[in-house]
Amino acid sequence: MNGGGIVPLQALGPIGRSLDEFGLTVAQAAAAESAVKFAIALVAIWVVGRAVVLPLVKRTFDTRGIDEHAQNPLLMLTRFGIGFGAVAVAFGFADYGNFLVSMAGIAAAGALAIGLAMQDVISNFVAGVFIYTDKPFRIGDWIEWDDGTYSGTVEDISLRVTRVRTFDNELLTVPNSALTDGVLKNPVDADKLRLKFIFGIGYDDDIERATEIIVEEAERHPDIMDDPAPSVRLTELGDSDVGLQSRFWISNPSRSDFVRTRGEYVTAVKQRFDEDGIDIPYPVRTLEGGFNLESGQSVVQPAE
């Protein structure tokens, strides 16, 4: 197109010249040719991207071991990128350069305004990307955060929020930034977990015998590991008891296994203590003082 807005016939491509033969003006044929080029380029790049790029990205995710559910939002971003690239290339192929520049300026201004208005959303989005790349936890893991205030099993991970099912069967929708800005504990990330429990016995009880019982019951439980071996340490001298801390390991830990195993183990130790006459004392409080009533004084005050 020249400065006067008149398109010479020689500037038309094969598509434009074919359309010109159908009785269209040169300008109409040029516009139609650009539209056809745009459509062809858009469809071609979109098809190639879906057929080549998308499977390649998915294969990369599989190689890195990213969970199938976690791949969905990343694959959605990949599709968006393919579509955006297809539109950009199609604009250039159709000689819509000036229009593309104008649209890019409008898009940049809009992106700036949206970015300022959605800082929290963007922060959670970036945190979600870090969760996918760093893998501090996976779907099905039991996690704790906010100094143990919250805990539960991860049910879903998206680019903005993570959904956690608490052990009271409550669903928590947690912004991703809340899980990346502080300390997060994942007790089940490894293939084994050490548990601790303090048994309090009386000061007159046999510490060595109590220690033997605690270790024997740990070795007898089928879900407590023999290697590393269970151990017991005297850790506390309380007001009314002596604290013996038992340390034992379980394999392939989960919250349900942890609660069940510890409950069964503590119950077995308590029964053995009862059989051997080892006392688990409870705190005793002694109140001292007196209460005197003078002769003729009423305890109950009359209502006014």
Side-chain angles (χ1 to χ4, degrees), residues 46 75-85:
W46 175 254
L75 292 175
M76 182 178 65
L77 287 177
T78 303
R79 295 188 191 96
F80 176 79
I82 293 173
F84 182 81

Side-chain angles (χ1 to χ4, degrees), residues 146-200:
D146 198 10
D147 295 330
T149 303
Y150 302 103
S151 62
T153 303
V154 179
E155 284 195 351
D156 178 60
I157 305 172
S158 69
L159 285 175
R160 190 180 66 85
V161 297
T162 296
R163 293 176 175 83
V164 179
R165 180 74 61 178
T166 70
F167 304 113
D168 294 328
N169 202 33
E170 299 170 334
L171 182 63
L172 302 180
T173 301
V174 188
N176 286 331
S177 59
L179 300 177
T180 57
D181 291 345
V183 177
L184 181 141
K185 182 167 71 174
N186 186 345
V188 299
D189 180 66
D191 57 355
K192 60 184 178 181
L193 175 67
R194 189 180 75 171
L195 303 178
K196 295 182 288 186
F197 188 85
I198 296 179
F199 295 94

Side-chain angles (χ1 to χ4, degrees), residues 145-286:
W145 71 99
D146 198 10
D147 295 330
T149 303
Y150 302 103
S151 62
T153 303
V154 179
E155 284 195 351
D156 178 60
I157 305 172
S158 69
L159 285 175
R160 190 180 66 85
V161 297
T162 296
R163 293 176 175 83
V164 179
R165 180 74 61 178
T166 70
F167 304 113
D168 294 328
N169 202 33
E170 299 170 334
L171 182 63
L172 302 180
T173 301
V174 188
N176 286 331
S177 59
L179 300 177
T180 57
D181 291 345
V183 177
L184 181 141
K185 182 167 71 174
N186 186 345
V188 299
D189 180 66
D191 57 355
K192 60 184 178 181
L193 175 67
R194 189 180 75 171
L195 303 178
K196 295 182 288 186
F197 188 85
I198 296 179
F199 295 94
I201 65 173
Y203 274 90
D204 295 331
D205 292 321
D206 189 339
I207 295 178
E208 293 185 0
R209 179 56 184 157
T211 300
E212 291 176 359
I213 292 174
I214 294 172
V215 173
E216 288 175 2
E217 291 304 319
E219 293 173 344
R220 187 176 300 176
H221 197 287
D223 294 329
I224 294 179
M225 301 176 63
D226 296 327
D227 184 21
S231 63
V232 179
R233 297 288 185 272
L234 195 159
T235 58
E236 297 181 5
L237 295 175
D239 294 336
S240 57
D241 64 355
V242 176
L244 299 178
Q245 186 184 78
S246 172
R247 304 178 182 182
F248 55 96
W249 295 79
I250 61 174
S251 60
N252 300 320
S254 70
R255 173 72 181 196
S256 58
D257 292 339
F258 151 60
V259 174
R260 176 183 56 80
T261 300
R262 189 176 71 170
E264 294 174 351
Y265 169 59
V266 172
T267 301
V269 172
K270 174 64 169 60
Q271 291 173 350
R272 287 287 304 279
F273 278 2
D274 292 342
E275 294 172 0
D276 283 49
I278 297 176
D279 184 31
I280 300 180
Y282 50 85
V284 177
R285 297 291 182 266
T286 302

Side-chain angles (χ1 to χ4, degrees), residues 27-135:
Q28 291 172 339
E33 182 180 37
S34 296
V36 172
K37 286 183 177 180
F38 178 86
I40 293 175
L42 180 65
V43 172
I45 296 174
W46 175 254
V47 171
V48 171
R50 293 294 299 266
V52 178
V53 177
L54 202 60
L56 182 62
V57 172
K58 191 175 190 313
R59 194 176 303 117
T60 302
F61 291 160
D62 293 336
T63 303
R64 292 179 58 86
I66 299 178
D67 295 333
E68 187 71 24
H69 189 84
Q71 292 183 16
N72 292 335
L74 296 177
L75 292 175
M76 182 178 65
L77 287 177
T78 303
R79 295 188 191 96
F80 176 79
I82 293 173
F84 182 81
V87 171
V89 173
F91 269 118
F93 186 71
D95 296 327
Y96 289 156
N98 293 334
F99 179 76
L100 182 60
V101 171
S102 300
M103 288 298 296
I106 296 174
L112 178 61
I114 293 174
L116 294 175
M118 302 179 64
Q119 294 184 32
D120 291 340
V121 174
I122 295 174
S123 174
N124 291 324
F125 177 85
V126 174
V129 173
F130 286 147
I131 289 175
Y132 286 123
T133 56
D134 296 341
K135 299 178 182 178

